[in-house]
Amino acid sequence: MPLISKAATTALICTLASCAWAQTPSSLSSALLNRTALPTHTHSSSDIPPPIPCNGSDVGPLINQHLQTHRIATLGPGICQTSQPISMPSNSTLQGSGMDTTTLMLAPNSNTNLIESENFSSLQATASFALAPSGINVHNITLNGNYLAKPWKHPFNTILNSKGSCVAFIASRYTLNARVDNCPDHMLYSENSGKRPPFEPASIINIYGSVSGKECIVWRGPGDSYLQTAMIGLCAIAPMSTAKKHPTTSALYPDDLISGLLIDKSPPYDGTLEIGFAHIYGVFDGYAVLSKGNPRIKASHLVAESSAGALNLSSKTWGIISLLDIHRTAISHPNRLSTAIPPAPPALICPPSLAVSALLYNNHPNPPTSKTLFDPKKTLCHIHTIQSPSGAIDHETFQPQ
């Protein structure tokens, strides 16, 4: 099958949906963040305090002081710890000295969010758009939630923090460019609800990382945001002693299998999402991507790998995925006892309101079959072309006659 170029992918998406500004990351950033009259805050050299040294000590109070007083906090090379949430007000910036140079880590037994937008707890599940901060920036840094004391496959692990997301935002017009690892709850929890503000609320996210105790990303707004890049995996990981016997379940939707990326536009949330490139792997107890409500999803390239299931999209989800890559489904936790392995779900559940331009499917070592790929009663989205190791497959083979 001919490869689909980036330009062709963008053209296809913009032909089928209105996105005249979706051309390049830079033009997208400009369109999303500069097409309104919302005032922005700039930092003069006199406003910027010197970098905070990172030598392993708890500098949370100092970071928060810099953010409140100067609206900017710069962390030097090394590891900075905090035992309190870093609170981000409007028009504030938290920056490291490099993603591989600076780590902000939650101190053991803190059991709280590592970074959160100002007034996060009081705004949850409210009409938060009107009161939510805007213009938050986090970049050039690694965030570590200090969840597990040892690598996730270690047989004798210890939980250092039992709750807390690495990033918890109820905010608009924010940017996140960070590596995010070892989070007790979520790598990113983002929420907005209520009437939209009079400016464009969309945000831009680039996130990389592994290991979370629950869903890696919960997306509940702001709507129309751009998940430019996501390279995330090992979501809903429990210590080995627990994971061997029991699957991880979702605290948000206990009746559903847990997911790596949850896109939620059920009332009152505003979780529509644009996706550039997202690779999600290692969701052993559920789906790489799960949607709720009626979100619009527009994705250029989406990869679901090494998980129990790939995509489970609600009946009201709509939009287009230009290139969908599914491989190694029906994968359970590598140390799960055989008596604790649940039946594998269908790899792909999607509604007729979603279009897939091209599907690459490789369920090595098993060849693709209707049993492993589709549930004929639930896989109803329109897929133009399916490519497998054995060649192109007629999608109608898997559809109800």
Side-chain angles (χ1 to χ4, degrees):
M1 184 183 74
L3 294 177
I4 301 175
S5 68
K6 181 178 179 180
T9 297
T10 302
L12 177 61
I13 294 176
C14 292
T15 297
L16 298 179
S18 177
C19 56
W21 39 264
Q23 303 301 320
T24 65
S26 59
S27 67
L28 176 60
S29 303
S30 176
L32 286 179
L33 300 183
N34 297 321
R35 61 179 175 174
T36 71
L38 181 72
T40 57
H41 180 81
T42 57
H43 304 284
S44 67
S45 58
S46 60
D47 291 334
I48 301 176
I52 297 171
C54 286
N55 53 18
S57 59
D58 187 341
V59 294
L62 183 56
I63 296 173
N64 281 324
Q65 180 186 348
H66 280 207
L67 290 171
Q68 289 296 327
T69 303
H70 304 282
R71 291 297 193 265
I72 185 168
T74 302
L75 306 185
I79 297 176
C80 278
Q81 290 203 67
T82 179
S83 57
Q84 62 181 241
I86 302 304
S87 179
M88 304 286 297
S90 288
N91 298 314
S92 64
T93 297
L94 174 66
Q95 59 188 8
S97 299
M99 202 176 297
D100 297 324
T101 304
T102 301
T103 297
L104 178 62
M105 179 180 291
L106 194 64
N109 302 311
S110 299
N111 297 313
T112 187
N113 296 326
L114 178 56
I115 296 177
E116 64 183 28
S117 55
E118 193 172 58
N119 301 320
F120 174 81
S121 297
S122 63
L123 291 176
Q124 271 199 283
T126 66
S128 56
F129 258 134
L131 300 175
S134 64
I136 292 172
N137 306 283
V138 178
H139 55 90
N140 292 338
I141 194 169
T142 289
L143 306 174
N144 191 311
N146 217 4
Y147 166 45
L148 298 177
K150 298 176 181 178
W152 70 279
K153 293 178 73 173
H154 196 283
F156 306 107
N157 225 323
T158 303
I159 293 179
L160 299 178
N161 283 293
S162 60
K163 63 180 180 179
S165 294
C166 284
V167 181
F169 280 172
I170 297 177
S172 58
R173 289 173 62 101
Y174 69 80
T175 63
L176 173 65
N177 185 14
R179 180 170 182 88
V180 185
D181 293 319
N182 202 23
C183 307
D185 288 341
H186 315 289
M187 296 178 185
L188 169 63
Y189 179 95
S190 185
E191 174 188 317
N192 270 123
S193 59
K195 184 179 179 180
R196 286 197 177 193
F199 54 84
E200 174 57 66
S203 301
I204 300 176
I205 300 98
N206 291 275
I207 185 169
Y208 318 85
S210 63
V211 181
S212 68
K214 297 181 180 177
E215 293 91 347
C216 279
I217 297 178
V218 174
W219 189 262
R220 288 173 156 173
D224 301 332
S225 291
Y226 186 41
L227 183 61
Q228 186 170 350
T229 308
M231 296 283 291
I232 56 174
L234 300 174
C235 311
I237 295 295
M240 191 64 69
S241 58
T242 301
K244 288 172 65 175
K245 301 177 182 179
H246 305 289
T248 304
T249 57
S250 174
L252 301 174
Y253 290 102
D255 294 334
D256 287 313
L257 296 174
I258 202 161
S259 57
L261 169 60
L262 170 61
I263 303 172
D264 190 357
K265 202 188 175 187
S266 57
Y269 305 117
D270 189 38
T272 59
L273 190 61
E274 321 281 334
I275 298 174
F277 174 75
H279 186 157
I280 304 165
Y281 66 92
V283 188
F284 301 122
D285 294 319
Y287 283 90
V289 181
L290 174 71
S291 71
K292 305 293 290 185
N294 65 330
R296 184 189 70 244
I297 299 173
K298 294 192 288 187
S300 294
H301 189 176
L302 182 59
V303 182
E305 176 195 355
S306 300
S307 299
L311 275 68
N312 184 353
L313 305 182
S314 64
S315 61
K316 294 183 179 180
T317 299
W318 61 285
I320 182 170
I321 300 173
S322 291
L323 179 57
L324 176 60
D325 181 347
I326 297 175
H327 55 279
R328 289 181 55 80
T329 58
I331 303 295
S332 61
H333 193 287
N335 293 88
R336 182 72 48 78
L337 298 176
S338 59
T339 55
I341 298 177
L348 180 61
I349 297 176
C350 53
S353 50
L354 183 86
V356 177
S357 180
L359 169 64
L360 306 180
Y361 180 70
N362 183 4
N363 203 36
H364 179 79
N366 300 315
T369 68
S370 58
K371 182 177 180 181
T372 58
L373 181 57
F374 292 120
D375 178 341
K377 295 181 180 179
K378 296 182 178 180
T379 306
L380 302 173
C381 53
H382 176 72
I383 303 175
H384 185 266
T385 301
I386 303 176
Q387 188 80 12
S388 77
S390 58
I393 303 173
D394 181 4
H395 178 241
E396 296 301 323
T397 301
F398 303 106
Q399 294 305 292
Q401 301 299 317

